[in-house]
Amino acid sequence: MSNLRIKRVAVLGAGVMGAQIAGHLANAGIHVDLFDLPSPEGDRNQIVRNAMDRLKKLEPAPLASPRVLPLIRANNFDDHLERLRDAQLIIEAVAERIDIKRALYQRIASHCSESAWIASNTSGLSVQSLAAEIPEGLRPRFCGMHFFNPPRYMSLVELIPAKETQAEMLDTLESWLTRTLGKSVIRAKDTPNFIANRVGVFSLLATMEHTQRFGLGLDTVDALTGPRIGRPKSACYRTVDVVGIDTLAHVVRTKQEQLQQDPWHSIFKLPNWIEHLITAGALGQKSGAGLYKKEGKEIRVLDTATLQYRATDSSIDPEVEKILAIRAPAEKFKALIACPHPQAQFLWAIFRDVFHYSAVHLAEIADNARDLDLALRWGFGWSMGPFELWQAAGWQDITRAIQTDIDAGKTLAATPLPAWCRETSRTGVHTPQGSWAPTKQANAARSSLTVYQRQRFPELLLGEQAAMVLKPASETAGETLFANKEVRLWRLPQQDAGIGILSFASRMHAVSDEVLEGMLKSIAIAESDLDGLVLWHEPPFCVGANLKLVSEACKAGEFDRLERIVAQFQDASQALKYSRVPTVAATQGLALGGGCEFLMHADKRVMHLETYVGLVEAGVGLIPAGGGCKEFAVRAAQWAAQSPTPGEVFPFIQQVFTTIAMAKVAKSSLQAIEFGFAQPDDHIVFHPQELLHVALRTARQKADAGYQPPVPQMVPVAGRTGIANLSLMLVNMLEGKMISEHDYKVAHAAATALCGGDIDAGTRVDEDWLIKVERQLFVDLLKTPQTQARIEHMLATGKPLRN
């Protein structure tokens, strides 16, 4: 049952969440029937069609490619309920009101297939109460399935059973969500707001409470509660503006109503200044003003005392800044607790209260501490969960500090810590054997579902890492076959021993001469001693050349050295392509410049959906020269040979020229295929922890099938005619002041490299010819002051320079 293949899903409700869930299902190649109310006039499916149109415009994009949108079919509840019989899974995502859900369940019950599974995307209503609203025969196949917004990017899904839910159903759905949609699944208990929202929203409300108690500005709080403490950049109040102040108000009202016995119930309310904003219609980002407001180019912040907007001031006390820079959690927390500054005491208070709340409620809301910590990591973007951070800071010391504050009346509730927290022998809740489960009074091991065997290096919590490797590219993972400072060739034991894994250790996995030397050496070892080679490491895949190295060489006038490095880069790319054993690039995150060129030259690509690919060299006044221009020239000839006009290469060159000249980046692996960086038969993986598994299996399958490397071919090029055609377009752009003279020079170099140089159109050349052309043009550009200025500006600011 765990190998479920769902071909069609019905999503009921085309609001923000329903439409985006449908979009992500379409990303996975699943046909979706999206339902909503009939439109009162005109096209009766217009409400759904409008929602589908919004999917094409939203940022961040819900769709991995606009081309998946046709997998979604528009429906309405009056005319198309019979289509529900075709759905193997039905996801309800209508408004969070039990009366609306009850009425919908009554309407759909007779139309559902007897084998269909039904799930509610409720964010906090009782799943048992919802189950009571559907016919008894459907209840064993009903559960809560809570996605987080935006569904494409937020990995967490909480699965919540009702009493009648089949255990086998939950196992099957968990496996399907993990493998097919790339989700990180947590089994939650059927309690209000489940796990992530219960703790995450409490943390937000506690932060608001302490903002007032310590008299801090909203901008100061955001400066304190973002990346400096392992939280997202949007921190507290910017997050509220993004989510919507009215949405927060609804969540808080739900907490007030459903959690009246919660010891922290007194803070389940919104401050007066939030109520003021709601009354004024200042609901956050969507209304143009909220806790922050943009006036011209200036971002202003609400002053909670005057209810007027003022200039932002995100300064942090130097002593507190120094404390936050301490790397050791135990030392950092000791300093925070001891520091009398209000900012330090504020930080300790918000940490303390989340620790306290999580400990008191753990047994009620989650099976074990691991589930709570991972829910906050995956659902709220925290770098460490509450228990994990507590353990890192020294369990006994933090426990004593919390108890001291409880006794002194400083905490938001006087409820004592559970007895298990106060055990004098306890050093934490996470161990290599499992995580603390209070209802079992024992440590609970991780899930044994087969799907998790595909995750060679699962995401681990502090404490689990004693038995499992945290950094897969480190010396402790597998057997090292070769290594230098920036590259490691290694392998895993047993069935994977014949496939080498090549991992970069350079910063951002940038390409340096040492990386190139290590690649060439590793490929040679693979050809002599192994059956295949996988290029894989933690994201990003590779951000391209080490620009600092390039800049320093330019300043020293070492252009001969730079040309040798470029030649070595090209050699490494060609070695990947023509290796005598299969090479597989397993990619996630950024694959830019040289990273894109390595991806293009591998025999096969296994790409996580969130792989962002581009030849972006034009941004620093250069062209691709690690074989990128050459490879696109070769592919254009291959595409032309398969077209109705096999002799006409130029139309295909024109497409890729735009991609290179504009430094276009594919925003998903689906788009990478559309842009020509990857091939239609490449593998796309939705769960990042499965990437290595699929890559190893791919290399093994190709090796076992008797892999033979491609045979080098002579290819026709567009030549000087193609260059002239592209130059005409560039001249018009230059005269229209759409590009600068140096933009023209860079783009003309790209056109020349793609067209094979100044030779007759249709001339057949080999890859060595194309490589030499792109290398010479690259070095010529490097010698120009304008390109050198662009490189310096990128290093200094991280942004491209137009000169």
PDB file of all heavy atoms in Angstrom, residues 721-750:
ATOM      1  N   THR A 721      26.782  34.289 -40.491  1.00  0.00           N
ATOM      2  CA  THR A 721      25.407  34.720 -40.802  1.00  0.00           C
ATOM      3  C   THR A 721      24.583  34.803 -39.519  1.00  0.00           C
ATOM      4  O   THR A 721      23.829  35.763 -39.302  1.00  0.00           O
ATOM      5  CB  THR A 721      24.752  33.743 -41.781  1.00  0.00           C
ATOM      6  OG1 THR A 721      25.546  33.651 -42.967  1.00  0.00           O
ATOM      7  CG2 THR A 721      23.342  34.196 -42.140  1.00  0.00           C
ATOM      8  N   GLY A 722      24.740  33.798 -38.672  1.00  0.00           N
ATOM      9  CA  GLY A 722      24.039  33.816 -37.392  1.00  0.00           C
ATOM     10  C   GLY A 722      24.493  34.970 -36.524  1.00  0.00           C
ATOM     11  O   GLY A 722      23.669  35.643 -35.877  1.00  0.00           O
ATOM     12  N   ILE A 723      25.810  35.225 -36.511  1.00  0.00           N
ATOM     13  CA  ILE A 723      26.333  36.348 -35.726  1.00  0.00           C
ATOM     14  C   ILE A 723      25.735  37.657 -36.219  1.00  0.00           C
ATOM     15  O   ILE A 723      25.338  38.516 -35.422  1.00  0.00           O
ATOM     16  CB  ILE A 723      27.873  36.386 -35.807  1.00  0.00           C
ATOM     17  CG1 ILE A 723      28.485  35.103 -35.206  1.00  0.00           C
ATOM     18  CG2 ILE A 723      28.419  37.620 -35.092  1.00  0.00           C
ATOM     19  CD1 ILE A 723      29.976  34.958 -35.459  1.00  0.00           C
ATOM     20  N   ALA A 724      25.661  37.817 -37.537  1.00  0.00           N
ATOM     21  CA  ALA A 724      25.121  39.056 -38.117  1.00  0.00           C
ATOM     22  C   ALA A 724      23.657  39.248 -37.731  1.00  0.00           C
ATOM     23  O   ALA A 724      23.226  40.366 -37.399  1.00  0.00           O
ATOM     24  CB  ALA A 724      25.265  39.026 -39.637  1.00  0.00           C
ATOM     25  N   ASN A 725      22.888  38.179 -37.772  1.00  0.00           N
ATOM     26  CA  ASN A 725      21.462  38.280 -37.419  1.00  0.00           C
ATOM     27  C   ASN A 725      21.285  38.684 -35.954  1.00  0.00           C
ATOM     28  O   ASN A 725      20.445  39.540 -35.630  1.00  0.00           O
ATOM     29  CB  ASN A 725      20.757  36.954 -37.680  1.00  0.00           C
ATOM     30  CG  ASN A 725      20.592  36.674 -39.154  1.00  0.00           C
ATOM     31  OD1 ASN A 725      20.554  37.598 -39.971  1.00  0.00           O
ATOM     32  ND2 ASN A 725      20.494  35.409 -39.525  1.00  0.00           N
ATOM     33  N   LEU A 726      22.063  38.080 -35.072  1.00  0.00           N
ATOM     34  CA  LEU A 726      21.964  38.419 -33.657  1.00  0.00           C
ATOM     35  C   LEU A 726      22.497  39.830 -33.404  1.00  0.00           C
ATOM     36  O   LEU A 726      21.955  40.568 -32.571  1.00  0.00           O
ATOM     37  CB  LEU A 726      22.730  37.392 -32.812  1.00  0.00           C
ATOM     38  CG  LEU A 726      22.152  35.965 -32.821  1.00  0.00           C
ATOM     39  CD1 LEU A 726      23.078  35.017 -32.064  1.00  0.00           C
ATOM     40  CD2 LEU A 726      20.763  35.941 -32.202  1.00  0.00           C
ATOM     41  N   SER A 727      23.536  40.220 -34.127  1.00  0.00           N
ATOM     42  CA  SER A 727      24.108  41.559 -33.957  1.00  0.00           C
ATOM     43  C   SER A 727      23.119  42.644 -34.359  1.00  0.00           C
ATOM     44  O   SER A 727      23.076  43.723 -33.744  1.00  0.00           O
ATOM     45  CB  SER A 727      25.389  41.702 -34.786  1.00  0.00           C
ATOM     46  OG  SER A 727      26.375  40.806 -34.339  1.00  0.00           O
ATOM     47  N   LEU A 728      22.322  42.374 -35.393  1.00  0.00           N
ATOM     48  CA  LEU A 728      21.317  43.343 -35.826  1.00  0.00           C
ATOM     49  C   LEU A 728      20.341  43.645 -34.689  1.00  0.00           C
ATOM     50  O   LEU A 728      19.994  44.800 -34.430  1.00  0.00           O
ATOM     51  CB  LEU A 728      20.573  42.817 -37.050  1.00  0.00           C
ATOM     52  CG  LEU A 728      19.502  43.730 -37.641  1.00  0.00           C
ATOM     53  CD1 LEU A 728      20.127  45.051 -38.103  1.00  0.00           C
ATOM     54  CD2 LEU A 728      18.795  43.036 -38.802  1.00  0.00           C
ATOM     55  N   MET A 729      19.917  42.597 -33.992  1.00  0.00           N
ATOM     56  CA  MET A 729      19.017  42.771 -32.848  1.00  0.00           C
ATOM     57  C   MET A 729      19.706  43.598 -31.757  1.00  0.00           C
ATOM     58  O   MET A 729      19.111  44.498 -31.163  1.00  0.00           O
ATOM     59  CB  MET A 729      18.598  41.404 -32.301  1.00  0.00           C
ATOM     60  CG  MET A 729      17.709  41.461 -31.067  1.00  0.00           C
ATOM     61  SD  MET A 729      17.245  39.808 -30.497  1.00  0.00           S
ATOM     62  CE  MET A 729      18.826  39.236 -29.866  1.00  0.00           C
ATOM     63  N   LEU A 730      21.000  43.318 -31.533  1.00  0.00           N
ATOM     64  CA  LEU A 730      21.736  44.019 -30.491  1.00  0.00           C
ATOM     65  C   LEU A 730      21.937  45.491 -30.841  1.00  0.00           C
ATOM     66  O   LEU A 730      21.862  46.365 -29.975  1.00  0.00           O
ATOM     67  CB  LEU A 730      23.095  43.349 -30.272  1.00  0.00           C
ATOM     68  CG  LEU A 730      23.062  41.937 -29.677  1.00  0.00           C
ATOM     69  CD1 LEU A 730      24.455  41.329 -29.666  1.00  0.00           C
ATOM     70  CD2 LEU A 730      22.490  41.971 -28.261  1.00  0.00           C
ATOM     71  N   VAL A 731      22.201  45.773 -32.135  1.00  0.00           N
ATOM     72  CA  VAL A 731      22.375  47.168 -32.568  1.00  0.00           C
ATOM     73  C   VAL A 731      21.109  47.967 -32.299  1.00  0.00           C
ATOM     74  O   VAL A 731      21.151  49.105 -31.805  1.00  0.00           O
ATOM     75  CB  VAL A 731      22.764  47.223 -34.058  1.00  0.00           C
ATOM     76  CG1 VAL A 731      22.640  48.650 -34.591  1.00  0.00           C
ATOM     77  CG2 VAL A 731      24.185  46.709 -34.254  1.00  0.00           C
ATOM     78  N   ASN A 732      19.954  47.375 -32.600  1.00  0.00           N
ATOM     79  CA  ASN A 732      18.681  48.066 -32.350  1.00  0.00           C
ATOM     80  C   ASN A 732      18.499  48.350 -30.858  1.00  0.00           C
ATOM     81  O   ASN A 732      18.018  49.423 -30.475  1.00  0.00           O
ATOM     82  CB  ASN A 732      17.511  47.217 -32.862  1.00  0.00           C
ATOM     83  CG  ASN A 732      17.489  47.158 -34.378  1.00  0.00           C
ATOM     84  OD1 ASN A 732      18.000  48.052 -35.055  1.00  0.00           O
ATOM     85  ND2 ASN A 732      16.898  46.103 -34.931  1.00  0.00           N
ATOM     86  N   MET A 733      18.887  47.407 -30.023  1.00  0.00           N
ATOM     87  CA  MET A 733      18.775  47.593 -28.571  1.00  0.00           C
ATOM     88  C   MET A 733      19.748  48.676 -28.097  1.00  0.00           C
ATOM     89  O   MET A 733      19.418  49.486 -27.224  1.00  0.00           O
ATOM     90  CB  MET A 733      19.033  46.275 -27.839  1.00  0.00           C
ATOM     91  CG  MET A 733      17.980  45.214 -28.118  1.00  0.00           C
ATOM     92  SD  MET A 733      18.367  43.632 -27.339  1.00  0.00           S
ATOM     93  CE  MET A 733      18.099  44.040 -25.616  1.00  0.00           C
ATOM     94  N   LEU A 734      20.951  48.716 -28.695  1.00  0.00           N
ATOM     95  CA  LEU A 734      21.944  49.722 -28.316  1.00  0.00           C
ATOM     96  C   LEU A 734      21.469  51.111 -28.715  1.00  0.00           C
ATOM     97  O   LEU A 734      21.550  52.060 -27.923  1.00  0.00           O
ATOM     98  CB  LEU A 734      23.283  49.400 -28.982  1.00  0.00           C
ATOM     99  CG  LEU A 734      24.445  50.346 -28.673  1.00  0.00           C
ATOM    100  CD1 LEU A 734      24.780  50.328 -27.189  1.00  0.00           C
ATOM    101  CD2 LEU A 734      25.675  49.954 -29.513  1.00  0.00           C
ATOM    102  N   GLU A 735      20.959  51.223 -29.943  1.00  0.00           N
ATOM    103  CA  GLU A 735      20.490  52.525 -30.409  1.00  0.00           C
ATOM    104  C   GLU A 735      19.270  52.995 -29.625  1.00  0.00           C
ATOM    105  O   GLU A 735      19.058  54.198 -29.446  1.00  0.00           O
ATOM    106  CB  GLU A 735      20.170  52.459 -31.904  1.00  0.00           C
ATOM    107  CG  GLU A 735      21.427  52.300 -32.762  1.00  0.00           C
ATOM    108  CD  GLU A 735      21.109  52.181 -34.241  1.00  0.00           C
ATOM    109  OE1 GLU A 735      19.905  52.029 -34.576  1.00  0.00           O
ATOM    110  OE2 GLU A 735      22.051  52.234 -35.058  1.00  0.00           O
ATOM    111  N   GLY A 736      18.475  52.039 -29.135  1.00  0.00           N
ATOM    112  CA  GLY A 736      17.318  52.394 -28.317  1.00  0.00           C
ATOM    113  C   GLY A 736      17.664  52.595 -26.855  1.00  0.00           C
ATOM    114  O   GLY A 736      16.763  52.770 -26.024  1.00  0.00           O
ATOM    115  N   LYS A 737      18.971  52.580 -26.559  1.00  0.00           N
ATOM    116  CA  LYS A 737      19.482  52.759 -25.201  1.00  0.00           C
ATOM    117  C   LYS A 737      18.924  51.725 -24.217  1.00  0.00           C
ATOM    118  O   LYS A 737      18.784  51.987 -23.015  1.00  0.00           O
ATOM    119  CB  LYS A 737      19.196  54.187 -24.697  1.00  0.00           C
ATOM    120  CG  LYS A 737      19.817  55.281 -25.567  1.00  0.00           C
ATOM    121  CD  LYS A 737      19.674  56.646 -24.937  1.00  0.00           C
ATOM    122  CE  LYS A 737      20.223  57.753 -25.852  1.00  0.00           C
ATOM    123  NZ  LYS A 737      21.634  57.544 -26.188  1.00  0.00           N
ATOM    124  N   MET A 738      18.614  50.552 -24.738  1.00  0.00           N
ATOM    125  CA  MET A 738      18.151  49.466 -23.877  1.00  0.00           C
ATOM    126  C   MET A 738      19.327  48.714 -23.271  1.00  0.00           C
ATOM    127  O   MET A 738      19.186  48.052 -22.241  1.00  0.00           O
ATOM    128  CB  MET A 738      17.260  48.501 -24.686  1.00  0.00           C
ATOM    129  CG  MET A 738      16.010  49.163 -25.248  1.00  0.00           C
ATOM    130  SD  MET A 738      15.156  48.100 -26.467  1.00  0.00           S
ATOM    131  CE  MET A 738      14.689  46.714 -25.444  1.00  0.00           C
ATOM    132  N   ILE A 739      20.486  48.815 -23.926  1.00  0.00           N
ATOM    133  CA  ILE A 739      21.703  48.187 -23.410  1.00  0.00           C
ATOM    134  C   ILE A 739      22.860  49.164 -23.557  1.00  0.00           C
ATOM    135  O   ILE A 739      22.809  50.096 -24.372  1.00  0.00           O
ATOM    136  CB  ILE A 739      22.031  46.865 -24.146  1.00  0.00           C
ATOM    137  CG1 ILE A 739      22.252  47.113 -25.639  1.00  0.00           C
ATOM    138  CG2 ILE A 739      20.949  45.818 -23.912  1.00  0.00           C
ATOM    139  CD1 ILE A 739      22.712  45.878 -26.410  1.00  0.00           C
ATOM    140  N   SER A 740      23.914  48.956 -22.766  1.00  0.00           N
ATOM    141  CA  SER A 740      25.105  49.798 -22.856  1.00  0.00           C
ATOM    142  C   SER A 740      26.057  49.243 -23.918  1.00  0.00           C
ATOM    143  O   SER A 740      25.867  48.136 -24.429  1.00  0.00           O
ATOM    144  CB  SER A 740      25.815  49.839 -21.499  1.00  0.00           C
ATOM    145  OG  SER A 740      26.386  48.565 -21.203  1.00  0.00           O
ATOM    146  N   GLU A 741      27.105  50.011 -24.218  1.00  0.00           N
ATOM    147  CA  GLU A 741      28.084  49.532 -25.196  1.00  0.00           C
ATOM    148  C   GLU A 741      28.786  48.268 -24.705  1.00  0.00           C
ATOM    149  O   GLU A 741      29.088  47.376 -25.496  1.00  0.00           O
ATOM    150  CB  GLU A 741      29.113  50.638 -25.478  1.00  0.00           C
ATOM    151  CG  GLU A 741      28.535  51.802 -26.278  1.00  0.00           C
ATOM    152  CD  GLU A 741      29.616  52.764 -26.741  1.00  0.00           C
ATOM    153  OE1 GLU A 741      30.814  52.451 -26.548  1.00  0.00           O
ATOM    154  OE2 GLU A 741      29.262  53.823 -27.290  1.00  0.00           O
ATOM    155  N   HIS A 742      29.009  48.178 -23.394  1.00  0.00           N
ATOM    156  CA  HIS A 742      29.653  46.958 -22.895  1.00  0.00           C
ATOM    157  C   HIS A 742      28.677  45.783 -22.882  1.00  0.00           C
ATOM    158  O   HIS A 742      29.082  44.645 -23.127  1.00  0.00           O
ATOM    159  CB  HIS A 742      30.247  47.177 -21.506  1.00  0.00           C
ATOM    160  CG  HIS A 742      31.223  46.097 -21.131  1.00  0.00           C
ATOM    161  ND1 HIS A 742      32.366  45.836 -21.858  1.00  0.00           N
ATOM    162  CD2 HIS A 742      31.224  45.179 -20.121  1.00  0.00           C
ATOM    163  CE1 HIS A 742      33.034  44.820 -21.315  1.00  0.00           C
ATOM    164  NE2 HIS A 742      32.350  44.403 -20.256  1.00  0.00           N
ATOM    165  N   ASP A 743      27.409  46.059 -22.625  1.00  0.00           N
ATOM    166  CA  ASP A 743      26.402  44.994 -22.770  1.00  0.00           C
ATOM    167  C   ASP A 743      26.452  44.432 -24.189  1.00  0.00           C
ATOM    168  O   ASP A 743      26.375  43.214 -24.398  1.00  0.00           O
ATOM    169  CB  ASP A 743      24.989  45.539 -22.503  1.00  0.00           C
ATOM    170  CG  ASP A 743      24.753  45.879 -21.041  1.00  0.00           C
ATOM    171  OD1 ASP A 743      25.384  45.256 -20.178  1.00  0.00           O
ATOM    172  OD2 ASP A 743      23.920  46.776 -20.779  1.00  0.00           O
ATOM    173  N   TYR A 744      26.549  45.353 -25.157  1.00  0.00           N
ATOM    174  CA  TYR A 744      26.629  44.929 -26.565  1.00  0.00           C
ATOM    175  C   TYR A 744      27.855  44.044 -26.770  1.00  0.00           C
ATOM    176  O   TYR A 744      27.768  42.989 -27.426  1.00  0.00           O
ATOM    177  CB  TYR A 744      26.687  46.153 -27.482  1.00  0.00           C
ATOM    178  CG  TYR A 744      26.892  45.796 -28.938  1.00  0.00           C
ATOM    179  CD1 TYR A 744      25.798  45.541 -29.766  1.00  0.00           C
ATOM    180  CD2 TYR A 744      28.183  45.681 -29.472  1.00  0.00           C
ATOM    181  CE1 TYR A 744      25.986  45.184 -31.102  1.00  0.00           C
ATOM    182  CE2 TYR A 744      28.376  45.331 -30.801  1.00  0.00           C
ATOM    183  CZ  TYR A 744      27.279  45.084 -31.611  1.00  0.00           C
ATOM    184  OH  TYR A 744      27.468  44.719 -32.922  1.00  0.00           O
ATOM    185  N   LYS A 745      28.984  44.455 -26.247  1.00  0.00           N
ATOM    186  CA  LYS A 745      30.234  43.700 -26.439  1.00  0.00           C
ATOM    187  C   LYS A 745      30.112  42.285 -25.856  1.00  0.00           C
ATOM    188  O   LYS A 745      30.516  41.313 -26.490  1.00  0.00           O
ATOM    189  CB  LYS A 745      31.389  44.455 -25.774  1.00  0.00           C
ATOM    190  CG  LYS A 745      32.775  43.842 -25.996  1.00  0.00           C
ATOM    191  CD  LYS A 745      33.848  44.673 -25.302  1.00  0.00           C
ATOM    192  CE  LYS A 745      35.244  44.127 -25.593  1.00  0.00           C
ATOM    193  NZ  LYS A 745      35.656  44.389 -26.982  1.00  0.00           N
ATOM    194  N   VAL A 746      29.531  42.202 -24.650  1.00  0.00           N
ATOM    195  CA  VAL A 746      29.383  40.897 -23.990  1.00  0.00           C
ATOM    196  C   VAL A 746      28.419  40.016 -24.783  1.00  0.00           C
ATOM    197  O   VAL A 746      28.695  38.833 -25.044  1.00  0.00           O
ATOM    198  CB  VAL A 746      28.886  41.083 -22.541  1.00  0.00           C
ATOM    199  CG1 VAL A 746      28.571  39.729 -21.900  1.00  0.00           C
ATOM    200  CG2 VAL A 746      29.935  41.829 -21.714  1.00  0.00           C
ATOM    201  N   ALA A 747      27.278  40.582 -25.177  1.00  0.00           N
ATOM    202  CA  ALA A 747      26.288  39.794 -25.908  1.00  0.00           C
ATOM    203  C   ALA A 747      26.816  39.377 -27.285  1.00  0.00           C
ATOM    204  O   ALA A 747      26.529  38.270 -27.758  1.00  0.00           O
ATOM    205  CB  ALA A 747      24.998  40.604 -26.055  1.00  0.00           C
ATOM    206  N   HIS A 748      27.598  40.249 -27.910  1.00  0.00           N
ATOM    207  CA  HIS A 748      28.182  39.900 -29.218  1.00  0.00           C
ATOM    208  C   HIS A 748      29.160  38.737 -29.064  1.00  0.00           C
ATOM    209  O   HIS A 748      29.234  37.841 -29.933  1.00  0.00           O
ATOM    210  CB  HIS A 748      28.879  41.118 -29.821  1.00  0.00           C
ATOM    211  CG  HIS A 748      29.324  40.911 -31.243  1.00  0.00           C
ATOM    212  ND1 HIS A 748      30.543  40.340 -31.575  1.00  0.00           N
ATOM    213  CD2 HIS A 748      28.700  41.165 -32.432  1.00  0.00           C
ATOM    214  CE1 HIS A 748      30.660  40.262 -32.876  1.00  0.00           C
ATOM    215  NE2 HIS A 748      29.559  40.770 -33.435  1.00  0.00           N
ATOM    216  N   ALA A 749      29.903  38.729 -27.949  1.00  0.00           N
ATOM    217  CA  ALA A 749      30.818  37.613 -27.697  1.00  0.00           C
ATOM    218  C   ALA A 749      30.035  36.307 -27.519  1.00  0.00           C
ATOM    219  O   ALA A 749      30.433  35.253 -28.028  1.00  0.00           O
ATOM    220  CB  ALA A 749      31.663  37.901 -26.458  1.00  0.00           C
ATOM    221  N   ALA A 750      28.895  36.389 -26.796  1.00  0.00           N
ATOM    222  CA  ALA A 750      28.063  35.195 -26.622  1.00  0.00           C
ATOM    223  C   ALA A 750      27.532  34.712 -27.972  1.00  0.00           C
ATOM    224  O   ALA A 750      27.523  33.502 -28.265  1.00  0.00           O
ATOM    225  CB  ALA A 750      26.904  35.497 -25.675  1.00  0.00           C
TER     226      ALA A 750
END
